[in-house]
Amino acid sequence: AKCWPGPRWLELAARLHAQGWRLAVLVGPVERDRDDPRGWAWPVPVGFAEPRDAIALAHDLAGGFAFVGNDSGPTHLAAMLGGATVALFGPSDVRVFGPIGPGVHLLQAPHGSLDELDVDALARLVGTVLCR
C-alpha cells in the first residue's frame, strides 16, 4: 500500500524521458525480493543503481540527483541529504511521516490510495520543482 504500482512508474519514466531527464532506478533488497524493476518492460532507457550498503546509497544520493520515491528509507535519506526529492505518500499521513529537507516536495495520494496519484500531474510536478 506504500508503493506506487509498477505500471505507474513505467508511465512516469516515459513522461520524464520526454522532458529530457536521464533516469536511474534504485534497486535494493526489498525490490529484488518483491518486484524487481530490472525485469520490467521499461518504455525508455533507464539505468539501475544497486548500492551495496547504506553508505553507498548515501553516496549515490548525494551525487546531485533528483529523487522521486515512495514512503521509504531511501526517500527519507535523499531528503535529509538535501537533494531535490518528491516523496509519494499513500496511506501514511505525510504530515506525520513525511521526510524533511530543504528540497522536499510531498505528494499525498487522494483517499490514501497510491493508485489514485495522477501520472501526468506528477510528471508536471517533477518538471517544475526538480532541476536537471
Side-chain angles (χ1 to χ4, degrees), residues 75-101:
T75 301
H76 285 266
L77 183 57
M80 289 178 7
L81 289 170
T85 304
V86 174
L88 310 179
F89 275 73
S92 301
D93 188 342
V94 72
R95 295 169 299 177
V96 176
F97 299 106
I100 54 173

Side-chain angles (χ1 to χ4, degrees), residues 9-10 13 22-28 31 35-40 42 44-51 57 60 66-68:
W9 285 110
L10 298 176
R22 287 186 356 195
L23 307 171
V25 177
L26 180 63
V27 180
E31 290 78 24
D35 187 15
D36 195 329
R38 294 172 298 180
W40 296 358
W42 292 93
V44 296
V46 297
F48 295 97
E50 301 179 58
L57 172 61
D60 287 349
F67 187 88
V68 179

Side-chain angles (χ1 to χ4, degrees), residues 86-90 94 105-110 114 117-118 121-122 125:
V86 174
L88 310 179
F89 275 73
V94 72
H105 300 273
L106 306 170
L107 189 56
Q108 180 82 56
L114 283 169
L117 280 182
D118 181 67
L122 179 55
L125 174 65

